[in-house]
Amino acid sequence: MSASKSGLFFLATFFIFSLVQSTEFVPCFIWSNKRTNEHIPALNKVSQDIFKENIEQYLKDDPLIVLFAEQTLSPEDFAQKDERGLTFSNLAKLAKSLKVSYLPYVQNPIKALKHLDVTVTEVPLDKFGKNFEIPETDILIVNLNDAKDSESRSDMLKRHDAAIPEIYEYLASTNNNVLGMYTAHHTSWVVSEEVIKSRQARSLMGVENSETAKAGEKVVEKADEVPEKFYNHTDVYLYISNATYINDKNEEKEVSLTYSVENSSSIIVLNLDCTEFKLRIEFSSNGSVGYWEQVGNITANTSEGEFVLKSTASIYAPKGFSYHCGDQYFSAEKFSIKLQDFQIQLFFDEPSTTGKFGDAYDCVGFTTVPIWSGLFVTTILLIIMSIGITMMMDIRTMDRFDDAKGKTITINAE
């Protein structure tokens, strides 16, 4: 009896797993050099059977279907970009010269093509060259399974984005009816626990390097980030996206900062140095219970001497939290310093090794200028409405009228 139950449990598990696998949806990018896609499904998600029927409509015109098959692809991949631009910049250009349609969620499109009653030929990407002979087939599947150990996924997709138009143009030169398709076997957008831990709202929020960060080093998560932006110290986490020096003539100059930390028993001193100034800020955790805060004067040494600076907002946060300000200003009579996206966190009790900021305690107070404006306008409206309603409630109807059968009022005028 137990053996039969185990067998049923195994079959049920296998069925559920197969059902989940069969409901995997991937994007499908379709273009043609002959006509527009007249078979666009009305639903957002296209099932395998509906997609198969749409392709059968295309086959009535006897086209050469060339399908470029990635191993993994998701709609989010088409929105990715870096400093060089969009990942699929060449595919985006196809929409300007060819007839393009895009289906974001298609169920098993490659399986649907293989189940058609036509000839299907699969070739790897590296087979294409100047002497490549186009095989006699109805559907040509180009497998893009050529990932290299030395390149990232973004670089691989960019390389495929450059190769796809070249191959398509080569096929279109010998056939005036070529239907191109770009899709994948599986989706690449998998939300697992590991992905959630590594996902960041901002690039500064964490440094997950394979090597442990040493104290006092500038640690960068990605190679293309500026090293001066995020400073990872065992006692201080600091992020500044851009630093600007503004002189008395209101002339702005971007500066590159270097950081250093002085740590005593209860005071942590942060030094921000550049050619124009040397900024010194002291922090302590003894002033307020449960908080760390900036104490003493904020000073800056320049070529003209030492100045005491005023901050636009007090720098403090609860322990375990970070302080953040979009534009943090330190001002003196002759100059001011602006730090954009300024975020800092101090660790007094014990050194931190997480490499991640705590929740941000923003410099904007609970009641901002827009909030005060809204409250003021709302108060004025309430006062006007109250006066109006009060005056309407004081309106009284007439309770005495002239007697139509009685003597009329006579007024003698002299």
Side-chain angles (χ1 to χ4, degrees):
M1 184 68 179
S2 60
S4 61
K5 289 182 178 180
S6 299
L8 291 174
F9 176 77
F10 175 78
L11 289 175
T13 304
F14 178 77
F15 174 76
I16 294 174
F17 178 78
S18 301
L19 182 63
V20 172
Q21 289 293 103
S22 63
T23 56
E24 190 172 19
F25 290 84
V26 295
C28 187
F29 195 83
I30 306 173
W31 66 96
S32 173
N33 61 349
K34 182 178 180 180
R35 64 175 186 176
T36 57
N37 183 13
E38 301 173 358
H39 318 291
I40 301 178
L43 300 177
N44 184 34
K45 290 187 176 182
V46 181
S47 66
Q48 180 174 335
D49 294 334
I50 295 178
F51 183 76
K52 181 180 176 181
E53 293 175 1
N54 293 331
I55 299 302
E56 288 176 346
Q57 296 295 324
Y58 278 115
L59 290 174
K60 293 180 179 180
D61 296 332
D62 194 25
L64 170 61
I65 299 179
V66 53
L67 184 142
F68 300 92
E70 291 278 5
Q71 289 300 306
T72 58
L73 192 67
S74 293
E76 292 78 8
D77 292 323
F78 289 93
Q80 298 297 323
K81 64 178 181 179
D82 53 19
E83 69 279 357
R84 295 174 293 177
L86 288 171
T87 301
F88 296 99
S89 59
N90 292 315
L91 287 180
K93 294 178 182 178
L94 290 176
K96 300 179 180 179
S97 58
L98 299 176
K99 305 168 183 66
V100 174
S101 61
Y102 173 68
L103 305 177
Y105 301 103
V106 181
Q107 182 186 20
N108 303 324
I110 299 178
K111 290 183 179 179
L113 292 180
K114 291 183 177 180
H115 290 167
L116 293 171
D117 189 17
V118 293
T119 57
V120 179
T121 305
E122 297 187 45
V123 294
L125 178 62
D126 54 9
K127 289 290 185 180
F128 279 89
K130 295 182 179 179
N131 299 325
F132 177 77
E133 295 183 1
I134 303 175
E136 293 292 334
T137 183
D138 296 312
I139 299 177
L140 178 64
I141 298 179
V142 182
N143 289 315
L144 304 178
N145 187 17
D146 61 340
K148 301 178 182 179
D149 297 335
S150 59
E151 67 178 357
S152 62
R153 172 175 168 78
S154 177
D155 292 336
M156 180 192 70
L157 293 178
K158 281 182 173 293
R159 181 166 53 82
H160 292 168
D161 176 63
I164 290 173
E166 294 181 0
I167 296 175
Y168 182 82
E169 290 178 2
Y170 174 72
L171 297 175
S173 63
T174 58
N175 194 320
N176 60 357
N177 189 6
V178 181
L179 179 68
M181 302 176 62
Y182 178 59
T183 185
H185 294 276
H186 306 286
T187 179
S188 62
W189 195 259
V190 180
V191 183
S192 62
E193 183 179 358
E194 181 179 358
V195 172
I196 293 174
K197 289 182 178 179
S198 62
R199 187 181 299 168
Q200 302 170 348
R202 297 170 60 191
S203 60
L204 63 99
M205 296 302 291
V207 180
E208 300 291 344
N209 289 343
S210 58
E211 299 180 1
T212 304
K214 298 180 181 179
E217 289 183 344
K218 299 170 187 175
V219 182
V220 183
E221 182 188 6
K222 298 180 181 179
D224 56 351
E225 291 186 11
V226 181
E228 289 81 4
K229 286 188 176 182
F230 181 68
Y231 180 60
N232 185 343
H233 190 276
T234 55
D235 299 322
V236 178
Y237 288 164
L238 176 66
Y239 177 87
I240 300 173
S241 66
N242 189 32
T244 305
Y245 176 81
I246 307 172
N247 59 19
D248 55 352
K249 298 180 181 179
N250 204 26
E251 297 175 347
E252 298 185 3
K253 178 182 179 181
E254 293 186 4
V255 294
S256 180
L257 298 176
T258 58
Y259 315 111
S260 63
V261 174
E262 302 173 14
N263 189 358
S264 62
S265 58
S266 60
I267 298 292
I268 295 178
V269 179
L270 176 64
N271 298 302
L272 287 72
D273 299 343
C274 67
T275 56
E276 281 72 18
F277 59 85
K278 292 183 178 180
L279 187 65
R280 178 184 174 89
I281 310 175
E282 296 183 2
F283 298 93
S284 174
S285 64
N286 298 332
S288 301
V289 178
Y291 282 77
W292 59 264
E293 59 187 346
Q294 180 265 323
V295 295
N297 292 328
I298 301 174
T299 60
N301 288 317
T302 67
S303 58
E304 299 181 3
E306 182 174 298
F307 296 87
V308 177
L309 306 180
K310 295 182 180 180
S311 176
T312 52
S314 300
I315 304 176
Y316 68 95
K319 292 182 179 179
F321 284 70
S322 63
Y323 169 84
H324 172 264
C325 195
D327 289 325
Q328 182 76 35
Y329 282 89
F330 300 100
S331 304
E333 294 181 0
K334 296 184 177 181
F335 67 93
S336 60
I337 303 168
K338 181 176 72 171
L339 305 180
Q340 294 180 349
D341 291 328
F342 177 77
Q343 187 163 2
I344 186 172
Q345 185 170 358
L346 280 298
F347 304 95
F348 287 90
D349 299 332
E350 59 183 10
S352 176
T353 58
T354 61
K356 296 182 179 180
F357 282 119
D359 293 335
Y361 201 75
D362 206 272
C363 63
V364 179
F366 179 75
T367 53
T368 61
V369 173
I371 293 177
W372 279 118
S373 301
L375 292 175
F376 178 76
V377 173
T378 304
T379 304
I380 297 297
L381 290 176
L382 289 175
I383 293 174
I384 295 174
M385 289 181 61
S386 300
I387 295 174
I389 293 174
T390 303
M391 296 177 68
M392 292 175 62
M393 293 176 64
D394 287 339
I395 297 176
R396 297 289 184 266
T397 59
M398 296 174 59
D399 55 356
R400 293 184 180 182
F401 300 92
D402 292 338
D403 187 2
K405 296 181 180 180
K407 187 178 179 180
T408 59
I409 298 176
T410 303
I411 301 175
N412 295 324
E414 296 180 358

